[in-house]
Amino acid sequence: MMKCISCKERYGEAEAGTCKECYEEASETEEELKREIDDLKSKISFLRLPSPPLNLLPFTDLLLLPYSDDVDDHHIHDGAVPSPAVRAHKAVLISRSPVFKAMLENEMEESRSGTIKIADVSYDVLRSFVHYLYTAEVLLDERMACDLLVLAEKYQVKHLKSYCEKFMTSKVNSENAIMTFAFAHQHNAPHLLESALSLILDNMDKLTERDEYKELVEKDPRLVVEIYEAYLTRQVNTASNKSQLVVQT
């Protein structure tokens, strides 16, 4: 017997240098560090164009205006109050979003007027969106992550969409799995979709009794079919694996 160089516990000679527990822990730490490095590289790439300091925002050349059907250019409906605009620099928006790039580098209305109307978004969400374009940082809760993912998809800000999807994936549970599955399907968020679907399949008996499931049956039966197809596939694979184990024994 030999002593592990990490924890000093004894281990078998077949294990090279460390015991099994320390080896597995080191492997997990290595994978975590790799993920952090990849995230940092992605952030650096996203911010490759130096952003003007946030304290220079009064000297911006562009306004982003939250806009909804309750407020238009001429009328305010049902007591709605227009939201203030969010200031930004054209150069930053062009470098972060191909959609903004197309708007602002061509003779479109937004380029000529210096104002971009952002439909169906609150001032707080839009402000957080612009802040992320400058810093690649944002304070998320589940509602903000959902709203920002939609906005990031619309303007093709892939880095932000991935960031929100990762956050939302960490928050999937049996209470929100069905609605999250539908949301992920609608907004092409594959990792979030996989996580929500897996949880649904693990709890089919309980979740199919929930109001959200019955609502999904009414609104989008295609997704229900997809869930059941995945469930049947899992059942078949499970049965096949059990059969193979029986044969081997």
Side-chain angles (χ1 to χ4, degrees), residues 207-219:
L207 294 185
T208 52
E209 297 299 320
R210 296 180 65 91
D211 291 338
E212 302 96 300
Y213 177 81
K214 297 173 183 177
E215 184 178 342
L216 189 63
V217 171
E218 292 291 328
K219 289 186 175 180

Side-chain angles (χ1 to χ4, degrees), residues 102-210:
M103 283 183 183
L104 299 172
E105 288 189 341
N106 296 292
E107 287 300 315
M108 299 179 69
E109 179 185 351
E110 293 84 359
S111 178
R112 294 193 300 270
S113 67
T115 300
I116 300 177
K117 293 180 180 179
I118 310 294
D120 301 320
V121 64
S122 70
Y123 170 76
D124 288 340
V125 171
L126 182 56
R127 183 177 60 179
S128 295
F129 176 69
V130 172
H131 182 80
Y132 192 90
L133 298 183
Y134 280 78
T135 65
E137 295 179 356
V138 66
L139 182 62
L140 293 179
D141 57 27
E142 292 180 54
R143 182 70 260 171
M144 180 63 76
C146 179
D147 291 340
L148 284 178
L149 188 148
V150 173
L151 203 55
E153 180 187 30
K154 180 178 180 180
Y155 291 99
Q156 297 179 28
V157 185
K158 294 180 181 179
H159 193 270
L160 174 57
K161 183 178 178 182
S162 176
Y163 187 80
C164 293
E165 183 178 1
K166 186 181 297 184
F167 177 87
M168 292 182 69
T169 299
S170 72
K171 300 298 182 180
V172 177
N173 56 50
S174 58
E175 295 295 317
N176 62 24
I178 293 174
M179 298 306 295
T180 299
F181 175 76
F183 174 86
H185 206 286
Q186 180 181 0
H187 295 287
N188 191 30
H191 299 297
L192 183 60
L193 183 76
E194 181 180 353
S195 178
L197 180 59
S198 178
L199 195 55
I200 291 171
L201 299 184
D202 289 341
N203 300 274
M204 280 289 283
D205 293 341
K206 296 178 181 178
L207 294 185
T208 52
E209 297 299 320
R210 296 180 65 91

Side-chain angles (χ1 to χ4, degrees), residues 68-80:
S68 72
D69 292 336
D70 292 330
V71 180
D72 59 32
D73 291 337
H74 306 290
H75 303 90
I76 298 176
H77 305 287
D78 300 325

Side-chain angles (χ1 to χ4, degrees), residues 53-116:
L54 292 178
N55 60 4
L56 293 182
L57 283 179
F59 304 99
T60 55
D61 52 5
L62 192 67
L63 296 177
L64 281 76
L65 186 65
Y67 180 81
S68 72
D69 292 336
D70 292 330
V71 180
D72 59 32
D73 291 337
H74 306 290
H75 303 90
I76 298 176
H77 305 287
D78 300 325
V81 178
S83 297
V86 178
R87 295 179 178 273
H89 297 84
K90 287 183 180 180
V92 174
L93 268 62
I94 287 172
S95 71
R96 307 294 194 254
S97 161
V99 177
F100 286 136
K101 180 179 174 69
M103 283 183 183
L104 299 172
E105 288 189 341
N106 296 292
E107 287 300 315
M108 299 179 69
E109 179 185 351
E110 293 84 359
S111 178
R112 294 193 300 270
S113 67
T115 300
I116 300 177

